[in-house]
Amino acid sequence: MLGFVIQRLMQALAVMAVMSVIVFIGIHAVGNPVDIVLPPEASQAIRAETIQRLGLGRPLWEQYGIFVWNLLHGDFGRSFVYNIPVLDLIGSRLPATTELVVIAITFATVVGVSLGVYAGVKPASFGARAVMGVSILGFSVPSFWVGLILILIFAVWLGWLPPGGRGETVTVFGVPWSFLTLDGLDHLVLPALNLALFKMAMMIRLARAGTRETMLSDTVKFARAAGISEATILRRHVLKLISIPIITVFGLELGSTLAFAVVTETIFSWPGVGKLIIDSIAVLDRPVIVAYLVLTALLFVTINLTVDLVFAAIDPRIRTGRQLA
Amino acid sequence: MDPHYSSLGTQAEAVNHIFDTLVAADENLQIKPGLAVSWKPIADDVWEFKLRQGVKFHDGSDFDAQDVKFSLERVPVVTGPSSMTIFVRRVKDVQIIDPYTVHIRTDGPAPVLPYDFVRLYIVSSRAAKDYSTRETAAQGFNSGKAAIGTGPFKFVSWEPKGDLVLERFDGYWGGPAAWKKVVRKEIQNDSSRLAALKAGQVDLINDVSSIDYLKLGKDSAVKTFVGESAYVMNLQLDQRPDVMPGIRAKDGSRLAKNPLTDIRVREAIDAAIDRRTMVDIVLEGLGKPAKEVLPPGFFGYSKAVPDPVYDPAKARKLLAEAGYPNGFQIDLYCTSDRLPGDAAICQGLGQMLSAVGIKTNVNAVSKTVYFPAQARGEYSVAMNGWGTLTGEASNMLGSLYHTKDDAKGLGAYNRISYSDPKLDALIEQGIMEMDEGKRRAIFEEAVTKATASKVLIPIVQLESVWAAKAGLLNFKPRTDQNTLAQSITPAR
């Protein structure tokens, strides 16, 4: 097992290294940020001085070397635009994204799985068909459009909910959270719903397929024969059997949504990391973009690594198989 | 929130609520007294500034010459990539004569110094003393500890790209502002911004798109404010004789030389542009046909420049005379996300040029891609906007038309390799001329000459739209497009 863990750790490190190089080269290819942020009246001397001060004139490999060296010392650099350490900047935005994503995914899972199980148990009913129809909509309608429609209906026409922003926050252990205040919750509803719709559609389909399969299995047949009530069968057996793929997907979706809640955050001006990255790309704030992408890669590598290690712990075939290969 | 870190538009607008400048600019970018009540050159390279007395900082302390000296000297130390150094580049040293008089020595005659100072904010020397290195500056100003100014509003809180919360400063020297508390939000997305207004979350929004502007005309709950902008969209025609990326014959073969170096071709392009239609159709009326890369009324705007005439027949004739009876093919580049209508104007240009035989492939790209690529010289034909935010011509002439000259610090935005020694001499003469009347005459002559070269073809002067809840407030649009709480007053 130890050998397997070390091997997977090495792989993860290699992925991170490759990823950081790709990010670095990619962002370099776009162009020199100085051409965007420098004011029009700036003279050549100022331009040259700025390039020199930011270290943008050095060869790419040297810039990369400095970046990695600083990274190893826990320093991601400072934002060009705000003169704030990048890690602080991203850190200050993380709670907003985290609460939005966790609420959205939890909501999507609870509602999606319930609806999916229902649709799986009574596939022919009108309700089940309606659920499936909605889930197709959830898949196929673009998220930014849904967001705008939500704003139009609930904020502009009905005036029930705010159209954007984060609302009042409460600071717990130095971190501001908005789900603890009424005003904050108000602000959370629409973006969370917008973010949840796509995931919910997926959960519905996943749960329905799993339920239909399980309902035909011997386990359920025998349980029925033994006179156990339908409700107990659903709770004790079906839900348990379909939960493995759902938990896997939940974990992966949590990661990808954390990293890419960009569209929802932009439309609802939610001050999270997704909006930060879009704003930073607009002005080529290189340190922020690079750090964000590297951290995102780290997030996925960590998730995958954890999944692999957990599976390996459960199923010995995986680690021996790897070792043989 | 450090006013000396970045001169980026939104940043400069935000800090303008908290800090004052020595020289202020009115709605039309004409300069007027700010923290300085008067200024005059007392030698060729010395300016005397008399300071306003009785001005208080937000912490109750007095403003005096020490704060001016401190602020001017602080800029080069803490400035970021969007450099503020340009506003103090001419300053050699600052001498305090008495608490309300300073002498500023420059590196040679600097007649535009007062214009440079329009965007130079004065901070409190006491409050900012400990926050004046590159590492500490952000911390001190973002937390508000050092963000002590003399402006109409006090700093309450701020988060990057998020809300800036301000509170009225009752001791403001210009009289208290109309609003007790102001929250400035940054909402990037056009639709979201409009929704925020319609849902009553905000009271005033800026940068309303031309499509939304049309719709809002029918909405009695919303009032719109339209103001002229300092931005003029212009077509930039590369003058490198041999290098011509994106220019080729209609069949795709290479041309012998860059057709844009021929004045007849440039005149043909000029005559092919129907500016009236551009404004009426493409911009929904939100703009004005432009004939110079400078809005009317700015210092140096020339009345001698003739109005451009739309004449496609003449354009075809000129192209034939220049040796291109069948026209040629160009790639036209422009930004798609920088100024209102930029991509639409570009599309319009593409059709108008194609109509006279110059087959045009339009590429509207993000500014993130556009500016670095243009700086690398990858575009032969490009269109973007130029805003003369200083309100006078040397800014535009020196950056766009002067030969690229690193030593003199001129021609930094001359992306078309244009060079006319006579024009250069004229511009340099104007920059050095201390007499205002003479300087105006020189700039007007230079603008006339520069415009006649047709290397930059002005298209339209943009207009900017704000929208507010009807009956709530009055707002005076500014040419620099800044949205300042102090220029908003309650209705009635």
Side-chain angles (χ1 to χ4, degrees):
Chain A
M1 185 69 190
L2 187 68
F4 176 70
V5 171
I6 291 170
Q7 190 194 341
R8 284 298 285 112
L9 271 174
M10 299 290 281
Q11 278 175 6
L13 272 178
V15 169
M16 286 305 299
V18 171
M19 175 66 196
S20 66
V21 171
I22 292 173
V23 166
F24 225 79
I25 293 175
I27 201 79
H28 191 83
V30 177
N32 195 335
V34 167
D35 293 320
I36 292 176
V37 293
L38 215 59
E41 303 89 342
S43 64
Q44 284 302 305
I46 292 174
R47 187 171 188 274
E49 187 265 338
T50 309
I51 289 177
Q52 192 262 332
R53 179 153 44 79
L54 295 173
L56 295 169
R58 297 165 193 266
L60 185 59
W61 61 267
E62 209 177 310
Q63 290 187 39
Y64 180 73
I66 293 169
F67 169 74
V68 172
W69 180 251
N70 288 339
L71 201 62
L72 293 177
H73 293 76
D75 178 10
F76 274 85
R78 289 175 100 90
S79 155
F80 290 165
V81 178
Y82 302 114
N83 190 24
I84 300 173
V86 171
L87 225 43
D88 290 2
L89 197 59
I90 293 178
S92 73
R93 299 297 200 93
L94 212 50
T97 299
T98 310
E99 67 180 345
L100 179 66
V101 166
V102 168
I103 288 174
I105 298 268
T106 310
F107 175 78
T109 308
V110 171
V111 176
V113 170
S114 313
L115 289 177
V117 169
Y118 164 72
V121 174
K122 293 200 171 84
S125 71
F126 172 76
R129 285 187 193 166
V131 166
M132 294 321 287
V134 170
S135 83
I136 290 174
L137 270 184
F139 264 121
S140 45
V141 181
S143 158
F144 74 90
W145 188 82
V146 175
L148 289 176
I149 293 296
L150 286 177
I151 293 178
L152 193 66
I153 295 176
F154 293 101
V156 178
W157 288 351
L158 299 172
W160 291 349
L161 295 162
R166 200 178 171 206
E168 205 180 311
T169 55
V170 174
T171 305
V172 182
F173 300 120
V175 183
W177 300 102
S178 59
F179 73 98
L180 297 171
T181 69
L182 212 57
D183 181 52
L185 275 177
D186 248 16
H187 283 80
L188 258 171
V189 175
L190 288 185
L193 189 63
N194 183 227
L195 202 56
L197 282 179
F198 183 84
K199 320 281 164 202
M200 196 161 82
M202 190 164 55
M203 288 297 181
I204 289 176
R205 309 220 124 216
L206 213 59
R208 177 178 177 268
T211 309
R212 291 205 64 181
E213 200 178 312
T214 330
M215 289 306 275
L216 302 173
S217 68
D218 293 344
T219 321
V220 174
K221 281 181 193 157
F222 282 122
R224 274 203 187 123
I228 299 173
S229 77
E230 281 295 306
T232 316
I233 292 175
L234 279 183
R235 211 175 47 242
R236 285 250 181 96
H237 302 289
V238 177
L239 214 52
K240 215 180 227 170
L241 285 169
I242 65 169
S243 63
I244 292 160
I246 287 175
I247 289 171
T248 314
V249 170
F250 178 92
L252 284 174
E253 282 299 308
L254 192 66
S256 72
T257 318
L258 258 180
F260 306 115
V262 177
V263 174
T264 299
E265 288 190 3
T266 307
I267 288 182
F268 289 91
S269 345
W270 189 260
V273 281
K275 188 164 176 295
L276 176 70
I277 186 72
I278 287 292
D279 292 341
S280 301
I281 289 172
V283 289
L284 267 191
D285 198 344
R286 265 195 206 168
V288 180
I289 303 172
V290 170
Y292 174 84
L293 293 177
V294 168
L295 285 174
T296 306
L298 184 67
L299 180 74
F300 279 98
V301 166
T302 313
I303 289 177
N304 283 329
L305 184 67
T306 315
V307 168
D308 275 10
L309 293 183
V310 169
F311 280 176
I314 296 169
D315 190 345
R317 281 177 301 176
I318 291 174
R319 50 178 198 261
T320 48
R322 288 286 172 93
Q323 271 165 353
L324 286 177
Chain B
M1 257 316 101
D2 187 337
H4 296 155
Y5 180 69
S6 166
S7 61
L8 278 182
T10 53
Q11 170 84 358
E13 176 188 274
V15 297
N16 210 328
H17 292 95
I18 304 166
F19 301 96
D20 280 316
T21 51
L22 284 181
V23 179
D26 69 8
E27 294 84 20
N28 301 314
L29 294 186
Q30 307 296 312
I31 56 173
K32 61 174 189 182
L35 284 179
V37 284
S38 67
W39 48 89
K40 60 168 194 280
I42 52 170
D44 259 4
D45 58 353
V46 181
W47 277 88
E48 181 180 82
F49 281 81
K50 287 277 183 197
L51 305 181
R52 194 177 291 275
Q53 304 197 10
V55 173
K56 295 272 183 204
F57 277 105
H58 297 158
D59 61 0
S61 60
D62 287 310
F63 155 79
D64 64 24
Q66 185 57 44
D67 301 305
V68 174
K69 184 176 162 70
F70 176 81
S71 297
L72 282 162
E73 288 168 356
R74 185 176 183 271
V75 172
V77 183
V78 298
T79 193
S82 184
S83 183
M84 297 284 293
T85 345
I86 43 173
F87 305 126
V88 293
R89 62 174 184 255
R90 307 297 309 274
V91 176
K92 268 184 100 174
D93 63 51
V94 184
Q95 273 184 315
I96 300 177
I97 304 303
D98 65 56
Y100 296 100
T101 310
V102 287
H103 285 178
I104 294 172
R105 213 148 57 84
T106 55
D107 58 344
V112 292
L113 195 73
Y115 290 93
D116 284 345
F117 282 4
V118 164
R119 293 205 273 160
L120 184 83
Y121 297 99
I122 304 298
V123 300
S124 155
S125 56
R126 284 199 307 168
K129 194 174 73 217
D130 296 334
Y131 303 103
S132 294
T133 65
R134 202 154 287 180
E135 286 70 35
T136 55
Q139 181 208 349
F141 276 85
N142 294 345
S143 66
K145 265 181 247 153
I148 306 288
T150 57
F153 292 95
K154 288 191 277 192
F155 175 96
V156 177
S157 69
W158 175 73
E159 42 187 305
K161 280 279 169 189
D163 295 357
L164 168 68
V165 183
L166 300 161
E167 197 185 303
R168 177 167 64 202
F169 174 46
D170 291 315
Y172 181 54
W173 58 268
W179 314 95
K180 198 158 175 48
K181 191 184 166 194
V182 171
V183 182
R184 181 180 176 280
K185 292 177 175 290
E186 292 202 14
I187 306 176
Q188 215 74 8
N189 184 284
D190 282 352
S191 313
S192 306
R193 198 161 55 240
L194 188 61
L197 175 75
K198 288 207 152 197
Q201 192 185 35
V202 297
D203 297 320
L204 176 81
I205 60 169
N206 65 351
D207 277 348
V208 176
S209 73
S210 51
I211 302 155
D212 291 333
Y213 169 69
L214 267 194
K215 276 186 286 179
L216 289 178
K218 300 181 195 107
D219 189 340
S220 61
V222 173
K223 182 171 180 190
T224 51
F225 303 88
V226 179
E228 278 181 23
S229 132
Y231 283 88
V232 174
M233 301 306 260
N234 61 88
L235 194 58
Q236 317 199 339
L237 307 175
D238 200 341
Q239 295 302 303
R240 286 174 293 180
D242 308 317
V243 189
M244 42 181 159
I247 303 185
R248 55 205 173 276
K250 272 201 171 145
D251 59 7
S253 62
R254 202 187 136 76
L255 292 170
K257 69 172 178 93
N258 181 355
L260 302 177
T261 53
D262 190 325
I263 178 87
R264 289 169 298 190
V265 173
R266 302 201 295 273
E267 279 174 347
I269 291 175
D270 191 32
I273 299 170
D274 183 356
R275 293 168 172 83
R276 194 69 257 171
T277 302
M278 199 68 97
V279 169
D280 292 345
I281 308 294
V282 176
L283 290 174
E284 310 288 1
L286 289 172
K288 285 190 177 140
K291 59 175 186 176
E292 298 168 27
V293 191
L294 197 69
F298 278 34
F299 189 91
Y301 178 84
S302 166
K303 292 203 175 72
V305 174
D307 282 324
V309 182
Y310 169 56
D311 189 347
K314 183 181 155 204
R316 278 195 206 89
K317 204 171 126 248
L318 280 166
L319 280 177
E321 275 174 29
Y324 304 97
N326 299 316
F328 50 90
Q329 195 178 158
I330 57 170
D331 293 341
L332 166 64
Y333 289 88
C334 58
T335 56
S336 61
D337 54 1
R338 175 157 175 258
L339 292 165
D342 46 7
I345 294 171
C346 208
Q347 296 284 354
L349 274 180
Q351 290 179 16
M352 289 172 188
L353 294 181
S354 297
V356 299
I358 302 173
K359 183 167 179 274
T360 306
N361 314 304
V362 177
N363 296 285
V365 297
S366 165
K367 61 176 189 284
T368 326
V369 174
Y370 177 94
F371 285 107
Q374 197 195 20
R376 290 193 297 262
E378 287 171 15
Y379 302 156
S380 287
V381 191
M383 185 209 69
N384 72 56
W386 180 269
T388 305
L389 297 178
T390 55
E392 52 79 53
S394 79
N395 160 285
M396 182 275 288
L397 289 171
S399 298
L400 292 178
Y401 282 102
H402 194 285
T403 308
K404 201 176 172 77
D405 187 331
D406 294 0
K408 288 180 184 143
L410 289 165
Y413 273 70
N414 182 345
R415 300 285 196 231
I416 51 174
S417 305
Y418 178 62
S419 178
D420 174 357
K422 281 186 197 149
L423 182 62
D424 290 353
L426 209 53
I427 295 171
E428 282 166 41
Q429 194 192 340
I431 291 174
M432 294 294 180
E433 178 57 59
M434 293 299 279
D435 182 277
E436 197 174 307
K438 282 187 198 154
R439 190 166 76 247
R440 185 187 289 269
I442 295 170
F443 280 159
E444 285 180 8
E445 192 191 335
V447 167
T448 312
K449 220 171 141 48
T451 311
S453 72
K454 308 266 185 213
V455 288
L456 299 178
I457 297 184
I459 301 161
V460 289
Q461 179 193 356
L462 294 176
E463 284 179 343
S464 221
V465 184
W466 287 261
K469 264 187 283 181
L472 182 76
L473 51 82
N474 275 320
F475 174 72
K476 226 178 191 180
R478 295 175 56 89
T479 317
D480 56 12
Q481 292 173 329
N482 278 357
T483 310
L484 303 175
Q486 53 264 42
S487 33
I488 305 171
T489 49
R492 277 175 300 119

